[in-house]
């Protein structure tokens, strides 16, 4: 297949986007020097917004406002939200009253209702980390299914059957989430109250250019060997961004962690497209 000319309309649009980003960066630096929030007569306070220097990754601060968060095109890409997980743990078994039951009561063998305060890592007895032991995760998953599968409680009450269905479904969802690096990374940030928009439109000119090159390579591939070669290159990029996420999460640099997840999402989708052609 004939390669697209270097100055194609799509490439030209990418170059124009890059120019706009450079201009926006210059305007942002100018804006940092003189940014002010409105004077509030009723309080007598003139808030001052400190955006820091251009290379700083510290969150914006604002004197005069409590719990203030700036929402604009100058703000960081990271958005926080209130965690949906309940802090009220189940303290005793509903059937025998034994203290501190988990998904399953060791004293009487009754399956417990879902405890919203228990996350997936706790279910599988693992530390909240991007690195998990696959064999340990699978072994624990099988152990839980032997105790929680709805087919094993067909002689129990309707109440306990319902608990079994809910717990089994949650264990399955937790296993699927923690098995894959991308969903595991997103879940880790979710536990920290960080929103990740994996459907965010690509706006990085460098990534857009790379996306076009990958698309051209896939289109020009004539056999499985060529496709596997492209796939191996993308797999290397995936591993690179997984490592960057690991570093960012450990240092609690959530902005870089979100960026890493968005890159991982793109590369995984590219791999999926290649696999479809193999």
């Amino acid at each position: 297949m004939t390669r697209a000319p270097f100055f194609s309309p799509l490439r030209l649009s990418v170059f124009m986007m890059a120019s706009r980003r450079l201009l926006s960066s210059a305007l942002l630096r100018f804006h940092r020097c003189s940014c002010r929030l409105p004077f509030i007569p009723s309080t007598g306070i003139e808030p001052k917004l400190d955006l820091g220097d251009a290379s700083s990754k510290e969150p914006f601060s604002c004197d005069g406002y409590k719990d203030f968060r700036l929402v604009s095109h100058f703000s960081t890409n990271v958005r926080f939200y209130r965690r949906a997980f309940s802090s009220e743990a189940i303290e005793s078994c509903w059937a025998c009253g034994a203290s501190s039951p988990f998904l399953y009561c060791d004293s009487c063998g009754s399956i417990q209702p879902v405890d919203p305060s228990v996350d997936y890592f706790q279910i599988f007895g693992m530390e909240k980390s991007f690195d998990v032991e696959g064999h340990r995760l699978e072994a624990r998953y099988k152990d839980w299914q032997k105790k929680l599968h709805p087919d094993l409680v067909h002689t129990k009450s309707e109440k306990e059957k319902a608990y079994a269905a809910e717990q089994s479904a949650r264990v399955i969802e937790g296993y699927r989430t923690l098995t894959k690096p991308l969903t595991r990374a997103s879940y880790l940030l979710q536990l920290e109250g960080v929103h990740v928009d994996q459907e965010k439109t690509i706006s990085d000119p460098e990534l857009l250019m790379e996306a076009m090159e990958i698309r051209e390579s896939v289109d020009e591939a004539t056999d499985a060997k060529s496709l596997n070669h492209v796939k191996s290159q993308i797999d290397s990029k995936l591993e690179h961004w997984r490592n960057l996420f690991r570093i960012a999460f450990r240092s609690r640099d959530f902005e870089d962690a979100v960026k890493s997840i968005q890159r991982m999402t793109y590369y995984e989708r590219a791999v999926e497209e290649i696999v479809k052609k193999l």
Side-chain angles (χ1 to χ4, degrees):
M1 181 177 292
T2 304
R3 293 183 64 90
F6 184 79
F7 290 105
S8 64
L10 184 55
R11 288 182 183 272
L12 184 58
S13 66
V14 172
F15 290 135
M16 292 177 66
M17 182 179 295
S19 299
R20 287 197 296 270
R21 283 177 63 88
L22 289 173
L23 179 59
S24 297
S25 176
L27 290 174
L28 174 57
R29 289 177 179 275
F30 173 77
H31 184 81
R32 290 180 187 274
C33 300
S34 59
C35 184
R36 283 288 188 276
L37 291 176
F39 175 76
I40 305 177
S42 60
T43 62
I45 299 174
E46 183 182 1
K48 295 181 179 180
L49 183 65
D50 179 16
L51 295 177
D53 63 76
S55 61
S56 174
K57 292 183 179 179
E58 293 297 321
F60 301 150
S61 62
C62 178
D63 299 327
Y65 280 97
K66 183 178 180 180
D67 298 328
F68 176 83
R69 184 170 294 280
L70 180 66
V71 180
S72 76
H73 61 286
F74 292 113
S75 67
T76 174
N77 290 326
V78 177
R79 288 194 292 151
F80 292 84
Y81 60 92
R82 188 180 300 278
R83 283 181 56 180
F85 306 104
S86 170
S87 60
E88 298 180 1
I90 296 176
E91 298 180 353
S92 61
C93 173
W94 64 272
C96 70
S99 61
S100 304
F102 202 43
L103 283 66
Y104 176 94
C105 179
D106 290 327
S107 297
C108 68
S110 297
I111 297 177
Q112 302 300 301
V114 169
D115 185 347
S117 69
V118 176
D119 62 54
Y120 295 157
F121 289 97
Q122 291 173 309
I123 288 176
F124 295 101
M126 294 184 166
E127 181 183 353
K128 291 184 180 67
S129 170
F130 184 59
D131 299 306
V132 299
E133 298 177 30
H135 65 280
R136 181 182 168 193
L137 177 64
E138 184 175 2
R140 191 62 175 143
Y141 167 73
K142 291 179 178 178
D143 287 343
W144 277 128
Q145 287 299 73
K146 291 176 182 178
K147 295 179 179 179
L148 303 173
H149 198 282
D151 292 345
L152 302 177
V153 294
H154 60 278
T155 60
K156 302 286 186 176
S157 65
E158 293 301 317
K159 179 179 182 179
E160 191 166 356
K161 287 180 183 178
Y163 289 159
E166 293 171 358
Q167 291 284 26
S168 180
R170 192 155 189 260
V171 168
I172 292 173
E173 179 62 27
Y175 176 72
R176 290 174 176 171
T177 299
L178 300 187
T179 298
K180 298 179 180 180
L182 178 58
T183 52
R184 184 166 65 245
S186 296
Y187 184 67
L188 280 168
L189 291 191
Q190 180 185 340
L191 292 177
E192 297 292 339
V194 179
H195 172 75
V196 181
D197 183 6
Q198 294 186 16
E199 302 301 324
K200 184 177 179 181
T201 303
I202 299 174
S203 59
D204 185 337
E206 181 181 350
L207 183 57
L208 281 172
M209 186 68 71
E210 183 179 4
M212 288 188 296
E213 292 174 352
I214 291 175
R215 172 57 60 188
E216 290 175 359
S217 298
V218 173
D219 289 342
E220 293 172 358
T222 58
D223 52 31
K225 182 179 179 180
S226 300
L227 287 171
N228 280 319
H229 177 69
V230 178
K231 180 178 177 295
S232 66
Q233 292 178 325
I234 299 176
D235 286 338
S236 297
K237 295 178 184 294
L238 256 175
E239 188 59 34
H240 169 73
W241 284 99
R242 286 170 185 164
N243 287 333
L244 290 183
F245 173 84
R246 182 180 291 107
I247 295 170
F249 183 75
R250 285 176 179 171
S251 61
R252 300 185 67 78
D253 185 346
F254 295 139
E255 185 168 359
D256 277 357
V258 169
K259 179 181 178 181
S260 297
I261 287 178
Q262 290 170 341
R263 291 285 187 128
M264 288 160 61
T265 300
Y266 166 71
Y267 289 125
E268 287 210 359
R269 288 175 179 172
V271 169
E272 290 173 1
E273 290 300 316
I274 293 175
V275 171
K276 290 178 182 179
K277 295 191 66 175
L278 285 173

